[in-house]
C-alpha cells in the first residue's frame, strides 16, 4: 500500500510556495533537450503546461481527442476567472481569495495548495493580457471585474460570456507558437487508452489514432494528464459530448489513486431539460446571478396554473413571488454558492412550486436589473423624467451589453425571449471536484505521472466557487507544474530515450487491442447510448443532489448490473480500423460504468454532508441552520483516495487527513 | 411556440474515408421534436441506424453550445443551415417544416479534405495559426501588471469581437473561392488592434497570409458571403483591416 504523502512544504503558509520553488532541483537547458514529456489534454491546464514546458526546453508531445487543441472544453466556460488583484479596491487580497476558496469548498481542500493558487492568481491575468487576451475593460481602459457566488468582493475578470474561449485561445496561441517552432508535436484526434509503467514509473501511453484506428505507442520521461472532468458519468451534463474519464480511469487502474469521486458540482443555473430527445444540457453563466433574481410563485396554485399554461410569470404580483434565496440567505441572497443555490431550487420544486411542464424549473428574472440600469443610464444621459418604456429600453441595452450572447443562446434553445419574460433554470451536473489524487507537486501516486486542471482533485474541496476552475487550470499549467515537474525530471537526465519496444509497451498495447476486439465482437442488441442513459438516470436519481444510504447501496448494485449487461449486449457497428465514433463512445461508457460504482461507494462511505455532497441523514436538526447540511469534521476531515483492486466494489480507501492551521473550520453560513 | 413532432426526409453525404467515393443517401425520419436541436435529431437517426445494425453517420461535434467550432454541416446549401448567427449545434428543428427534405453535406473545400461522411480535416487552420497567430511572450510570470497598459475600450471591444471567431470554417465552406480571409483576418485584426500585438504585426500578417496560400485556400473577391454565414458575426471590416496591414507590411518590411 502506497502511503499518501502530500509533500506539503514546511513553514508558514505564505512562504511555502516561494521556499519550495527556490529549492526545487533544476534541469539544465542542455539536458532538457533530452527529456520527453507527454501531455494528454490541451485545455487550459494541458495547453498551458505543454506550451510552458516547451518554452523551458523540454520535448513535448501533446494529445487531444478533438481535431484541434483550440476546441477543448475549457472553451465553453462563460463567466470568468478569479484573481486577487484588488483592482476594485474592495478589500480583496491573496488571503481573502484563499479563505473564500477553502470556505467555499466546505473545508475539504488542502490549505497549502489553495494558498499557492491564490498567490499565483494575479500572475495569470498579467500573462493573459500580455498574450493579447481581450478581457472586458472600463471606459478608462482598465480591466473590469464582476462578482461571483460565495464571495463579497469583485475579483472576477471576464470577456463577455466567453471568458473560457478567450483564455483557451490565449493558451492555444502560446501552444501554436511552440508547435510552429517544432518544440511541441501535437497529435489531435488521438485518444489515450492506457498508461505504460516501467519499473513502477510512468513511461508513456498507448493512444488510438481516431482517424486511422491505429493503436500507437508513445514513450516519455513523464506523463501529464490534463484530461478534464468526468461529469458525463451522469449522461446529461453541461460538459462537452466527448468529455470523459478514460485517461484518468486507465491511469487509476495502473495505480493512480482516485480522490473524492463523489464530489460533484451541480450548477444551479442551467436551461431545464425539455424532453427525452436531449443529449446535452446548457449552462447559463453564474454571472447572471449578479443581476438576475431567482424566484418561484409563493402560492402552489399559481405554480400549477403556470405549469398548465394558464398564467404567465409576468402576471404574478411582486408580493406573490417567493425570492427563496433572498429569503433564506439574506446576507448572500442570489449569490450563495452553487451547492446551496441548487439544493434550494430542488427543495422548492420538490414541494410543487416548479414552473415548467416537468415541474423542474425556477425563474431567473432580470426585470429589476433592467429597471435599475435603465434609471441609472437615464441619469447619466441627463434624460429628464424618462418614460417607463424609455427606462426599459435603456436598461435592456445595458443588459445586452453585459450578457447579450447568453440571452441569445437562451433564446435559440428555448424560443423564449428572456428580455421579456424571466428565464427558466434548473440545476445540472457541471463540474467534478474529485479526480486523480496528487501531491503538492501535482504528482499522482504513480511516480512520473502528473495530473492537472479539472482532472486532479486538489483545490476545490467539496464545492468549487465560480470562476475558480479556469484559474486553477491556468495556474497548474503555466505556473505550478512546469516548476514542480523539475524535481522529478532532474533525476532522469541520465535515463536516455525510452524504447517503445520494451515488454511493458507490448503488454499495454495488447491490453488495449484486446479490449477493443472484445467490445466490438459482442455484437449485442443495444446501442452505447442506451447504456449511458440508463447509467445517467441511476446517477441522477440516487447519486445526485440528495443522497442516502439506501439509494446509494441500490445504485451500486444497479450500476454493476448495467455494466454486466453492457459487456454482454452492446452493439458497436463498423470496424476498429478507421473513424468510428460509436467505438470511441463505447470505451468511454465502459469506464463510466466502473467509475459510477466507485462514485456511489465513495458517497456511501462519506456519511456527512459537505459542499456538493448532501447526505439526507446528515442535516442540522435545530437552531438557525435547521435543515442545512451538516458536516462531520471529527470523522470526515480527510480526502478519500481510492486504490483500484480489480473491481470498483472492493476498491480500498486511503485517507489523507486535512489539517487546517490557518483557517478555523466553522459551519459555512451564508445567512 | 409549443413543441410539435415532424417527419423529415434527410439526404446525407456518406463516404467511408478520405480515399473512397461518397454519395448522397436518403433517410426518412419520423417523429422529430421541433424543440430538439439539429444534432439531437442526428443522434436520433444514428440510434435508429445502430438498432438496425447499420453504421451511424459520422459528424463532428463536441460542446453543443456554439463555441468549440467543431460542428460543421452544410445544410440545405448553407453552412450551419438556415438560421443566422448560430452554429449547427445551435440550430433547432423548429426552423424546418413537416415533410421537408433536408440535405446535409460536409464543409467542402480543397483545403478541408473529407475524413469520413460529414467529418472534414480543418488542420490547415491550425497551421496558419502556428505561423503567427500569437504574441511571442513566454510564461515567465514576470510580465508587467495587467493594468500597466490601459487599452481604450473601443479598441478592446473591437479586438474582442474579432477574437470571438471559433475557427469553424463556415466562411471557407460558403465562399465560392473557398477563401479563408475572414478567418485569418479575424486573428490578424485582434492582435493588430492591441498594443501587445503591434510589435510583430508585419511578420504576422505576411507569414499567416503566406501559409493560407500554401494550404490551397482561394482568393478573396469580396462577395461577402462569408460574413453572412459566419455564426459569430465576424465582420468584413476585419478583411479590410488585414488588407491594410498586409499592404503596410509589404511596403515597409525591411
Ligand atoms: C459550460 C461550462 C462553463 C464553465 N464556466 C466556467 C467559468 O465561468 N469559470 C470557471 O472558472 N470555470 C468554468 N467552468 C469549468 C472549467 O471550464 C473547466 O473546469 C476547465 O476549463 C477544465 O479545464 P481542463 O484543462 O482541466 O480540461 P478541458 O478543457 O476539459 O480539456 C480536456 C482536454 O483533455 C483532452 N482529453 C480528454 N480525454 C482524453 C483522452 N482520453 N485522450 C486524449 N485527450 C483527452 C481533451 O481533448 C481536451 O484537450 C465551466 C465549465 C463548463 C462545462
Ligand atoms: S470567421 Fe466566422 S465562419 Fe469563419 S471560422 Fe471564424 S467563426 Fe467560423
Ligand atoms: S459543437 Fe461546439 S460549436 Fe457546435
Amino acid at each position: 500500500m502506497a502511503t499518501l504523502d502530500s509533500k506539503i512544504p514546511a513553514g508558514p503558509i505564505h512562504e511555502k510556495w516561494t521556499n519550495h520553488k527556490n529549492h526545487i532541483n533544476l534541469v539544465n537547458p542542455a539536458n532538457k533537450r533530452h527529456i520527453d514529456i507527454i501531455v494528454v489534454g490541451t485545455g487550459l491546464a494541458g495547453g498551458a503546461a505543454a506550451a510552458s514546458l516547451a518554452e523551458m526546453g523540454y520535448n513535448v508531445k501533446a494529445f487531444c481527442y478533438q481535431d484541434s487543441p483550440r476546441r477543448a472544453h475549457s472553451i465553453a466556460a462563460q463567466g470568468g476567472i478569479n484573481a486577487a488583484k484588488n483592482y476594485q479596491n474592495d478589500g480583496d487580497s491573496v488571503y481573502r481569495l484563499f479563505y473564500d476558496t477553502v470556505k467555499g469548498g466546505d473545508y475539504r481542500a488542502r490549505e497549502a495548495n489553495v494558498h499557492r493558487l491564490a498567490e499565483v492568481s494575479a500572475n495569470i491575468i498579467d500573462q493573459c493580457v500580455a498574450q493579447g487576451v481581450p478581457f472586458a475593460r472600463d471606459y478608462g481602459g482598465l480591466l473590469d471585474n464582476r462578482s461571483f457566488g460565495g464571495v463579497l468582493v469583485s475579483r472576477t475578470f471576464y470577456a463577455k460570456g466567453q471568458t473560457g474561449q478567450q483564455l483557451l485561445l490565449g493558451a492555444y496561441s502560446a501552444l501554436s507558437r511552440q508547435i510552429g517552432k517544432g518544440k511541441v508535436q501535437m497529435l489531435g484526434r488521438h485518444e489515450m487508452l492506457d498508461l505504460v509503467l516501467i519499473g513502477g514509473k510512468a513511461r508513456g501511453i498507448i493512444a488510438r489514432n481516431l482517424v486511422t484506428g491505429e493503436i500507437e505507442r508513445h514513450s516519455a520521461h513523464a506523463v501529464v494528464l490534463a484530461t478534464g472532468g468526468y461529469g458525463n458519468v451522469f449522461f446529461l451534463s453541461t460538459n462537452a459530448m466527448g468529455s470523459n474519464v478514460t485517461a484518468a480511469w486507465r491511469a487509476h487502474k495502473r495505480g493512480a489513486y482516485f480522490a473524492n469521486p463523489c464530489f460533484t458540482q451541480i450548477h444551479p443555473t442551467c436551461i431545464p431539460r425539455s424532453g427525452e430527445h436531449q443529449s446535452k444540457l446548457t449552462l447559463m453563466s453564474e454571472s447572471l446571478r449578479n443581476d438576475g433574481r431567482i424566484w418561484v410563485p409563493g402560492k402552489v396554485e399559481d405554480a400549477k396554473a403556470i405549469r398548465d399554461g394558464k398564467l404567465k410569470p409576468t402576471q404574478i404580483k411582486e408580493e406573490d413571488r417567493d425570492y427563496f434565496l433572498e429569503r433564506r440567505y439574506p446576507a448572500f441572497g442570489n449569490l450563495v454558492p452553487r451547492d446551496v443555490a441548487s439544493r434550494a431550487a430542488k427543495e422548492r420544486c420538490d414541494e410543487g412550486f416548479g414552473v415548467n411542464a416537468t415541474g423542474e424549473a425556477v425563474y431567473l428574472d432580470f426585470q429589476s436589473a433592467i429597471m435599475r440600469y435603465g434609471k441609472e443610464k437615464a441619469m447619466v444621459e441627463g434624460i429628464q423624467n424618462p418614460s417607463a418604456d424609455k427606462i426599459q429600453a435603456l436598461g435592456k441595452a445595458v443588459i445586452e451589453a453585459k450578457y447579450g450572447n447568453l440571452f441569445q443562446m437562451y433564446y435559440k434553445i428555448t424560443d423564449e425571449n428572456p428580455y421579456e419574460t424571466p428565464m427558466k433554470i434548473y440545476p445540472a451536473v457541471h463540474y467534478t471536484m474529485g479526480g486523480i489524487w496528487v501531491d503538492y507537486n501535482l504528482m499522482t501516486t504513480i511516480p512520473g505521472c502528473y495530473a492537472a486542471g479539472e482532472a486532479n482533485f486538489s483545490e476545490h474541496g467539496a464545492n468549487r466557487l465560480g470562476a475558480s476552475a479556469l484559474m486553477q487550470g491556468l495556474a497548474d499549467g503555466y505556473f505550478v507544474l512546469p516548476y514542480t515537474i523539475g524535481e522529478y525530471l532532474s533525476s532522469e537526465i541520465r535515463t536516455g530515450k525510452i524504447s517503445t519496444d520494451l515488454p511493458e509497451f507490448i503488454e499495454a498495447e495488447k491490453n488495449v487491442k484486446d479490449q477493443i476486439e472484445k467490445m466490438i465482437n459482442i455484437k449485442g442488441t443495444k446501442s452505447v447510448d442506451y447504456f449511458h442513459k440508463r447509467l445517467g438516470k441511476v446517477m441522477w436519481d440516487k447519486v445526485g443532489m440528495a443522497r442516502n444510504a439506501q439509494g446509494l447501496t441500490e445504485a451500486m448494485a444497479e450500476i454493476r448490473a448495467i455494466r454486466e449487461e453492457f459487456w454482454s449486449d452492446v452493439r458497436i457497428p463498423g470496424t476498429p480500423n478507421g473513424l468510428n465514433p460509436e467505438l470511441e463512445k463505447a470505451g468511454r461508457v465502459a469506464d463510466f460504468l466502473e467509475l459510477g460504482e466507485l462514485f456511489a461507494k465513495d458517497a456511501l462511505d462519506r456519511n456527512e454532508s459537505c459542499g456538493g455532497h448532501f447526505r439526507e441523514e446528515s442535516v442540522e436538526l435545530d437552531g438557525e441552520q435547521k435543515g442545512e447540511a451538516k458536516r462531520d469534521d471529527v470523522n470526515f476531515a480527510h480526502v478519500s483516495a481510492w486504490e483500484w483492486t480489480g473491481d470498483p466494489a472492493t476498491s480500498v480507501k486511503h485517507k489523507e487527513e486535512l489539517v487546517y492551521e490557518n483557517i478555523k473550520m466553522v459551519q459555512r453560513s451564508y445567512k | 411556440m409549443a413543441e410539435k413532432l415532424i417527419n423529415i426526409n434527410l439526404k446525407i453525404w456518406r463516404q467511408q474515408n478520405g480515399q473512397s467515393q461518397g454519395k448522397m443517401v436518403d433517410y426518412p425520419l419520423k417523429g422529430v421534436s421541433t424543440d430538439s436541436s439539429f444534432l439531437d435529431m442526428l443522434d436520433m437517426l444514428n440510434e435508429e441506424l445502430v438498432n438496425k445494425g447499420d453504421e451511424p453517420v459520422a459528424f463532428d461535434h463536441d460542446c453543443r453550445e456554439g463555441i468549440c467550432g467543431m460542428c460543421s454541416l452544410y445544410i440545405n446549401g448553407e453552412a450551419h443551415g438556415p438560421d443566422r448567427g448560430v452554429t449547427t449545434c445551435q440550430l433547432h428543428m423548429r426552423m424546418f417544416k413537416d415533410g421537408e427534405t433536408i440535405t446535409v453535406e460536409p464543409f467542402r473545400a480543397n483545403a478541408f479534405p473529407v475524413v469520413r461522411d460529414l467529418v472534414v480535416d480543418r488542420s490547415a487552420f491550425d497551421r496558419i495559426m502556428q505561423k503567427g497567430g500569437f504574441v511571442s511572450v513566454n510564461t515567465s510570470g514576470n510580465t508587467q501588471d495587467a493594468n500597466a497598459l490601459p487599452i481604450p475600450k473601443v479598441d478592446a471591444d473591437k479586438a474582442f469581437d474579432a477574437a470571438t471567431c471559433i475557427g469553424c470554417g463556415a466562411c471557407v465552406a460558403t465562399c465560392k473561392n473557398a477563401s479563408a480571409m475572414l478567418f485569418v483576418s479575424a486573428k490578424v485584426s485582434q492582435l493588430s488592434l492591441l498594443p501587445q500585438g503591434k510589435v510583430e504585426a508585419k511578420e504576422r500578417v505576411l507569414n499567416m497570409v503566406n501559409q493560407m496560400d500554401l494550404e490551397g485556400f482561394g482568393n478573396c473577391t469580396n462577395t461577402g458571403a462569408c460574413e453572412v454565414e459566419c455564426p459569430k458575426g465576424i465582420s468584413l471590416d476585419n478583411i479590410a483591416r488585414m488588407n491594410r496591414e498586409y499592404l503596410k507590411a509589404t511596403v515597409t518590411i525591411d
Side-chain angles (χ1 to χ4, degrees), chain A residues 48 51-52 55 65-73 75-76 78 85 87 123 125-127 129-135 137-143 159-162 165-166 169 172-174 176-181 186 189 211 238-243 274 277-283 408-409 411-415 478-479 483 525-530 533 571 573-575 578-582, chain B residues 1 3 33 35-37 39-41 43-44 46-47 49-65 67-70 83-86 90 92 94 115-116 119-123 125-127 129-131 133-153 156-157 159-161 163-168 183 187 190-191 194 196 200 231-232:
Chain A
S52 306
E55 284 167 9
Y65 70 76
Q66 295 92 345
D67 62 341
S68 162
R70 67 177 296 147
R71 310 202 200 282
H73 194 51
I75 200 100
Q78 302 171 348
K85 279 283 197 190
Y87 282 162
N123 271 340
I125 304 302
D126 300 341
Q127 181 66 34
V129 167
Q131 287 170 341
V133 171
F135 284 120
R137 289 176 184 267
D138 60 23
Y139 284 96
L142 300 177
L143 295 167
K160 275 208 183 151
Q162 280 133 283
Q165 180 196 29
Q166 294 309 318
L169 293 181
Y172 166 73
S173 72
S176 295
R177 176 169 161 245
Q178 297 305 318
I179 299 171
K181 286 181 172 179
M186 182 68 225
R189 293 203 199 265
V211 174
T238 65
N239 286 7
M241 299 298 286
S243 296
S274 65
H277 52 76
Q278 250 167 316
S279 40
K280 159 84 208 246
L281 296 175
T282 304
L283 177 80
Q408 190 230 16
M409 198 195 293
Y411 171 66
K412 289 290 175 190
I413 293 175
T414 62
D415 209 23
Y478 283 139
F479 299 120
Y483 299 100
T525 64
K526 303 280 186 340
S527 70
V528 176
D529 278 358
Y530 166 84
K533 284 180 187 169
R571 172 190 283 175
T575 74
L579 186 72
N580 187 339
E582 286 296 305
Chain B
M1 221 196 308
E3 179 185 0
S33 161
D35 273 351
S36 66
S37 73
L39 298 186
D40 285 340
M41 181 276 291
D43 289 342
M44 183 175 162
N46 278 345
E47 180 80 14
L49 292 177
V50 174
N51 287 338
K52 278 198 288 193
D54 291 346
E55 286 198 47
V57 180
F59 60 92
D60 262 331
H61 65 107
D62 203 25
C63 74
R64 298 222 180 173
E65 9 192 285
I67 195 76
C68 73
M70 191 103 180
D83 204 355
R84 288 287 162 266
V86 297
Q90 294 174 299
H92 276 68
R94 59 180 82 92
V115 174
R116 173 166 198 171
V119 175
V120 298
D121 176 357
R122 286 167 286 181
S123 52
F125 272 9
D126 291 312
R127 290 188 291 274
M129 293 299 239
Q130 288 152 17
K131 292 295 174 205
F134 47 76
V135 173
S136 294
V137 54
N138 278 1
T139 52
S140 61
N142 294 325
T143 40
Q144 67 176 350
D145 183 84
N147 260 351
L149 188 69
I151 297 173
K153 186 168 165 56
D157 287 351
F160 171 81
D161 288 341
T164 57
C165 163
I166 57 174
C168 62
F183 166 77
K187 188 47 71 180
Q190 176 204 341
L191 295 177
L194 297 171
Q196 301 88 320
E200 298 166 281
K232 295 293 139 178

Side-chain angles (χ1 to χ4, degrees), chain A residues 365-521:
Chain A
D365 195 333
F366 294 88
Q367 188 50 31
S368 312
I370 288 174
M371 294 304 284
R372 190 176 74 242
Y373 285 127
K375 281 182 197 148
E376 256 175 52
K377 193 81 189 175
M379 286 279 262
V380 173
E381 292 187 356
I383 302 172
Q384 303 289 324
N385 302 321
S387 66
D389 283 352
K390 183 75 193 166
I391 293 175
Q392 279 277 345
L394 290 169
K396 279 179 191 163
V398 175
I399 292 285
E400 187 179 354
K402 287 182 119 171
Y403 311 111
N405 69 318
L406 297 172
F407 275 51
Q408 190 230 16
M409 198 195 293
Y410 182 87
Y411 171 66
K412 289 290 175 190
I413 293 175
T414 62
D415 209 23
E416 285 183 5
N417 180 353
Y419 293 101
E420 305 294 337
T421 181
M423 283 185 182
K424 286 184 207 129
I425 52 158
Y426 199 67
V429 173
H430 177 60
Y431 182 88
T432 46
M433 282 76 70
I436 308 174
W437 185 90
V438 289
D439 66 16
Y440 188 74
N441 292 324
L442 305 185
M443 189 151 89
T444 68
T445 47
I446 299 174
C449 178
Y450 289 77
E454 191 172 339
N456 75 23
F457 88 103
S458 62
E459 277 46 359
H460 309 293
N463 173 56
R464 174 174 71 76
L465 289 181
S468 285
L470 300 181
M471 169 172 72
Q472 185 220 335
L474 287 180
D476 286 359
Y478 283 139
F479 299 120
V480 178
L481 191 111
Y483 299 100
T484 56
I485 203 169
E487 180 87 353
Y488 175 80
L489 292 175
S490 60
S491 61
E492 290 289 337
I493 52 178
R494 280 179 209 87
T495 308
K497 194 104 197 136
I498 292 155
S499 162
T500 54
D501 294 329
L502 293 166
E504 289 84 350
F505 272 99
I506 297 169
E507 181 271 331
E509 183 188 278
K510 183 171 180 310
N511 176 37
V512 165
K513 283 187 170 163
D514 288 351
Q515 193 197 18
I516 291 175
E517 277 304 301
K518 189 172 164 198
M519 270 190 319
I520 224 157
N521 285 324

Side-chain angles (χ1 to χ4, degrees), chain A residues 39-47 63-66 68-69 71-82 148 156 163-164 167-168 186-187 190-193 205 207 225-229 237-240 242-248 250 265 267 280-287 338 429-432 452-456 460 464-474 588, chain B residues 62 65:
Chain A
V39 178
V40 189
T42 47
L44 286 184
F63 295 78
C64 71
Y65 70 76
Q66 295 92 345
S68 162
R71 310 202 200 282
H73 194 51
S74 294
I75 200 100
Q78 302 171 348
I81 177 165
N82 289 330
F148 258 50
T156 305
T163 318
L167 294 173
L168 183 65
M186 182 68 225
L187 294 112
H190 271 70
E191 180 164 29
M192 167 180 162
L193 294 178
I205 66 167
L225 303 177
T227 46
S237 84
T238 65
N239 286 7
S243 296
N244 66 87
V245 76
T246 290
R250 310 266 167 119
Q265 180 159 80
H267 196 297
K280 159 84 208 246
L281 296 175
T282 304
L283 177 80
M284 286 284 105
S285 169
E286 172 160 298
S287 59
R338 294 174 175 179
V429 173
H430 177 60
Y431 182 88
T432 46
E454 191 172 339
N456 75 23
H460 309 293
R464 174 174 71 76
L465 289 181
S468 285
L470 300 181
M471 169 172 72
Q472 185 220 335
L474 287 180
R588 295 172 193 155
Chain B
D62 203 25
E65 9 192 285

